[in-house]
Amino acid sequence: MRTSWFPVSLKVDLRAVAVISALAALAFAGTVAHLAVGEYPISLLDVARTLLGLQTGDPSNAFIVETLRLPRALVALTVGAALAVSGALLQGLTRNPLAAPDIIGINAGAALVAVTLIVALPSVSSVYLPPAAFCGALMVALLLYLLAWRGHSSPMRLILIGIGLSAMAQALTWLMIVSGNVQELSRALVWLTGSVYARGWDELWALLPWVAVLVPFALLHARHLNALGLGDEVATGLGSRVELSRGLLLLASAGLAAAGVATAGTMVFVGLVAPHIARGLVGPPAGALIPTAAVTGAALVVLSDLAGRVLFAPTEIPAGIVTAVLGAPYFLYLLYRNRNK
């Protein structure tokens, strides 16, 4: 696509546009249902009228929708998109369908630093959790890259060393938890489970800049990700600066995972499952895969949080438990499908 007033060529995949539109409609429907159900149910029509700023005849609807439920739903959507794009980048970089930020240690590094902050400095504002988690994820990503370096980086070494770093970071996280007092222990455990409960506008504003910067960055580097997927020699032959591109995309993946983990805890399997679903729908080209994975992850988390709210109401199940229940069988299926590769 190229016009006289916008002199940039774009290749539009109409199938990807249709898939993204359908997934966005699913995510929107899940969001509206998320806003409507709860201890104080609101009709779908009143939810729509409230979102449009129209009167519904009940002044409490605006407070419930706009103050209590809407920020939580938007946080769920944004966290899902961030984790899914992070997973899509890692799977492309490592050329491994089982790679995900919660498997190669990036989430565990973010969780370690965030839990350390919760336990060691309980009076610190939650605003500082995203940058702290990013530091943890960045440290693991850099350590991963350095340990995997043998004159050049290797996707297989990245995976194996990442699994080891993940186990080490998880052990240190639990060491921090058991060394804290009961109040901090409870807060850390809820956070580790993965939940968007009680998330508000402050958490959303802290998360959005990471997603607004890193997702477009990933899209701009989609062609380099495609080249890396063909192998280092082919990527070099196509003019890609392999190590620079891999390092920058790894940092982008770490940043997205850290922001998502810092906001909602360790929401497991989203970064693994969403890119797989997206790849099955639009194929492997990163230009279509990244936005499709983002919308898939957003829909997955908001629907998981909705299910956690209604399945055993009035008791709420954290969204991270729902994604674990859905993701664990899918992970076993992937192991079985890739057993001979």
Side-chain angles (χ1 to χ4, degrees):
M1 183 176 71
R2 185 184 180 93
T3 65
S4 58
W5 55 271
F6 188 65
V8 176
S9 296
L10 296 174
K11 181 181 179 182
V12 178
D13 185 339
L14 294 179
R15 185 181 66 159
V17 172
V19 169
I20 291 171
S21 300
L23 290 170
L26 176 64
F28 179 75
T31 303
V32 172
H34 197 287
L35 299 177
V37 302
E39 186 175 352
Y40 186 87
I42 302 174
S43 70
L44 296 178
L45 179 60
D46 283 348
V47 168
R49 292 173 65 88
T50 302
L51 292 176
L52 294 173
L54 302 176
Q55 295 296 324
T56 63
D58 186 344
S60 62
N61 285 348
F63 174 76
I64 293 171
V65 170
E66 295 174 357
T67 303
L68 299 181
R69 296 178 183 172
L70 182 59
R72 174 174 173 166
L74 293 178
V75 166
L77 290 169
T78 313
V79 166
L83 294 176
V85 174
S86 175
L89 294 179
L90 279 180
Q91 289 174 11
L93 286 173
T94 60
R95 302 194 293 276
N96 190 318
L98 301 180
D102 47 340
I103 292 177
I104 68 167
I106 291 179
N107 282 8
L112 172 60
V113 176
V115 167
T116 301
L117 195 66
I118 292 173
V119 173
L121 300 170
S123 60
V124 170
S125 169
S126 60
V127 173
Y128 296 103
L129 279 177
F134 175 71
C135 290
L138 183 62
M139 285 190 292
V140 170
L142 291 175
L143 192 58
L144 178 63
Y145 205 79
L146 290 174
L147 292 175
W149 184 265
R150 295 290 185 277
H152 60 87
S153 58
S154 161
M156 181 56 69
R157 283 199 297 271
L158 286 173
I159 292 288
L160 295 176
I161 294 173
I163 291 173
L165 290 176
S166 178
M168 187 183 303
Q170 289 178 21
L172 292 174
T173 300
W174 282 106
L175 181 62
M176 290 301 303
I177 288 176
V178 298
S179 64
N181 63 40
V182 174
Q183 185 177 359
E184 292 147 6
L185 171 64
S186 174
R187 183 184 171 199
L189 285 176
V190 170
W191 185 81
L192 279 176
T193 303
S195 172
V196 291
Y197 175 76
R199 299 304 189 271
W201 292 109
D202 289 343
E203 286 80 7
L204 180 65
W205 298 137
L207 171 64
L208 276 179
W210 298 84
V211 178
V213 171
L214 294 178
V215 172
F217 176 85
L219 279 171
L220 288 174
H221 287 74
R223 64 187 181 90
H224 296 295
L225 191 61
N226 288 333
L228 290 172
L230 299 174
D232 290 0
E233 293 182 358
V234 176
T236 302
L238 292 174
S240 180
R241 301 169 68 181
V242 171
E243 299 303 338
L244 178 63
S245 298
R246 182 174 288 148
L248 290 175
L249 288 169
L250 186 60
L251 284 178
S253 174
L256 288 168
V261 170
T263 304
T266 49
M267 199 81 68
V268 296
F269 290 121
V270 177
L272 175 72
V273 173
H276 270 282
I277 296 174
R279 193 175 294 106
L281 293 172
V282 299
L289 175 64
I290 290 173
T292 307
V295 183
T296 305
L300 178 62
V301 175
V302 79
L303 290 173
S304 295
D305 191 44
L306 174 63
R309 290 176 57 203
V310 302
L311 283 178
F312 299 98
T315 301
E316 285 197 17
I317 301 174
I321 293 180
V322 179
T323 60
V325 170
L326 296 174
Y330 194 84
F331 182 64
L332 294 175
Y333 160 72
L334 290 176
L335 286 175
Y336 176 77
R337 196 180 68 174
N338 292 278
R339 65 191 185 282
N340 294 325
K341 294 183 179 180

